[in-house]
Amino acid sequence: MQTGIAEKGDTLRLAYAQYLTIVKYKAFTQVTVRNPWDLTRVLHTYLLVDKRKPLPRVLPQGTVVRIPLERMLVYSAVHCGLFDELGMVEAVRGVCDLPYIRLEKIHRRVAEGKVTDVGSSMSPNIERVIALRPDGILLSPFENGSYGRIEKLGVPLIECADYMETSALGRAEWMRFYGMLIGKEYESDSLFTKVEYAYQALRHVADETEEKPVVLAELKQGSAWYVPGGKSVTGQMYADAGACYAFGTIAENGSVPLSFETVFDRARHADYWLIKYNQMHDKTYAELERDYRPYAGFDAFRKRRIYGCNTAKVLYYEETPFHPERLLKDLIAVFHPNLFPNYEMRYFTPLSE
């Protein structure tokens, strides 16, 4: 069955995603995922074949996925939320890390016995996975990683490398691939078009602003302060929101550990400071100073220009990967408050005293 294909395929134009290539043939669709940690290599090749039709006699090398998937095991709440938005939450039949999933519909379906909780994503309960009989397992890859016993089940492993993309729209564009998996290609294409249009319209508004305030991000964790690199999705979004990121010159697409002294030296005069945290109550200036007294030395602290996102209360991680336009509008409203005077922020709010 594994041989070359003489037929010329139709390559789907992807405008932003760097690690994804989709080529359509008459009998199947070939999806190639590049290795984000070594761009000279392929992470995985998938051959999507309609399950209602016979398997083609001739196929290239790759993992055959019979679509649409109807019994998925999904590791991430991010993808559960997307499938729900595309009207196919019923195709999610198993999840990992249920305590960290904040989607009420998933919890209700678990209680009803329609979704199986297979435990931790680091070590899923293999017996529950086998009993689930998934037709696809969606998980997040990591560098030089293996998936243990789950790899030996003969179930297609869909490696969701969207989180490694270096632009917000690049990550969001992966929804076009995920839509194909569940038979919602048209719907996912339509959704992405709306997201792209809204994002670019907002970016254009921010581009027109003359003032570009300096922004600082995150908090110290232990002995290091992990700041997003200038080429990260976060760093790029600050630029798209009309701000000057204090660490925008760091040419990394992930987070970089810096000492407090380094961060303070470079960003003590930043105009705004954005933090994310997870706790039952909203963080205050008094609590922030109790956490680490030197925080009070930043201009943004003294001028009361710190905005916090309490991920225990808002669906930041669940929504923003595939709806970056929502986050972008929040950021623009922080950096340029006169542009949206009556806007009610979705994720970030000013810290109280």
Side-chain angles (χ1 to χ4, degrees), residues 137-162:
I137 300 175
L138 279 70
L139 39 71
S140 298
F142 48 96
E143 189 172 10
N144 301 320
S146 65
Y147 305 109
R149 295 172 64 192
I150 210 87
E151 290 185 276
K152 299 179 175 63
L153 297 181
V155 179
L157 299 183
I158 311 298
E159 298 193 273
C160 303
D162 54 87

Side-chain angles (χ1 to χ4, degrees), residues 1-5 7 26-28 47 49 53-61 64 66:
M1 186 172 69
Q2 310 296 338
T3 183
I5 297 291
E7 174 195 351
K26 286 182 180 178
F28 67 96
L47 309 172
V49 182
K53 298 178 181 179
L55 192 67
R57 242 178 356 97
V58 177
L59 283 173
Q61 291 284 346
V64 175
R66 302 306 301 266

Side-chain angles (χ1 to χ4, degrees), residues 333 336-341:
H336 306 284
N338 293 332
L339 290 178
F340 307 120

Side-chain angles (χ1 to χ4, degrees), residues 2-276:
Q2 310 296 338
T3 183
I5 297 291
E7 174 195 351
K8 183 175 175 61
D10 181 17
T11 300
L12 195 68
R13 181 182 174 274
L14 297 174
Y16 308 95
Q18 296 184 27
Y19 304 130
L20 198 61
T21 303
I22 301 175
V23 182
K24 289 188 171 186
Y25 297 89
K26 286 182 180 178
F28 67 96
T29 297
Q30 181 172 307
V31 180
T32 304
V33 179
R34 295 174 70 194
N35 188 325
W37 300 279
D38 182 355
L39 298 181
T40 64
R41 300 176 60 193
V42 170
L43 184 67
H44 215 127
T45 298
Y46 301 101
L47 309 172
L48 311 185
V49 182
D50 190 331
K51 65 170 52 173
R52 295 160 294 193
K53 298 178 181 179
L55 192 67
R57 242 178 356 97
V58 177
L59 283 173
Q61 291 284 346
T63 297
V64 175
V65 183
R66 302 306 301 266
I67 59 170
L69 297 177
E70 298 171 300
R71 298 186 60 84
M72 295 183 292
L73 168 56
V74 182
Y75 275 39
S76 167
V78 171
H79 301 100
C80 289
L82 175 64
F83 294 136
D84 182 24
E85 185 169 5
L86 292 174
M88 284 297 291
V89 71
E90 64 268 20
V92 177
R93 303 298 293 272
V95 295
C96 292
D97 302 323
L98 183 62
Y100 299 101
I101 295 178
R102 300 184 57 246
L103 301 168
E104 290 183 12
K105 192 173 291 186
I106 293 295
H107 283 270
R108 185 168 67 249
R109 290 177 65 80
V110 170
E112 294 169 349
K114 296 176 181 177
V115 172
T116 301
D117 173 14
V118 304
S120 167
S121 58
M122 299 304 293
S123 182
N125 185 310
I126 202 72
E127 287 74 22
R128 291 184 186 176
V129 175
I130 293 171
L132 174 63
R133 296 180 291 107
D135 51 10
I137 300 175
L138 279 70
L139 39 71
S140 298
F142 48 96
E143 189 172 10
N144 301 320
S146 65
Y147 305 109
R149 295 172 64 192
I150 210 87
E151 290 185 276
K152 299 179 175 63
L153 297 181
V155 179
L157 299 183
I158 311 298
E159 298 193 273
C160 303
D162 54 87
Y163 77 98
M164 290 297 294
E165 290 287 346
T166 58
S167 71
L169 288 177
R171 183 176 191 182
E173 197 167 24
W174 277 63
M175 72 172 70
R176 301 180 68 185
F177 168 41
Y178 299 138
M180 290 179 176
L181 293 176
I182 57 171
K184 293 289 183 177
E185 181 178 354
Y186 173 81
E187 291 84 352
S188 60
D189 284 354
S190 176
L191 177 59
F192 178 72
T193 298
K194 293 176 183 175
V195 169
E196 178 191 23
Y197 179 84
Y199 189 98
Q200 295 291 25
L202 287 166
R203 188 179 66 83
H204 179 72
V205 169
D207 279 346
E208 296 297 307
T209 59
E210 293 184 7
E211 185 183 1
K212 305 295 179 184
V214 177
V215 60
L216 164 67
E218 307 306 343
L219 295 166
K220 191 170 82 73
Q221 304 289 336
S223 61
W225 191 318
Y226 289 87
V227 302
K231 291 188 176 180
S232 67
V233 169
T234 300
Q236 293 294 313
M237 287 194 76
Y238 291 154
D240 288 346
C244 178
Y245 178 40
F247 298 94
T249 57
I250 297 178
E252 295 287 341
N253 61 6
S255 292
V256 179
L258 300 176
S259 68
F260 174 82
E261 292 74 19
T262 300
V263 174
F264 187 75
D265 181 61
R266 190 181 298 191
R268 65 185 298 181
H269 298 305
D271 300 292
Y272 294 97
W273 182 0
L274 302 185
I275 64 174
K276 294 192 299 292

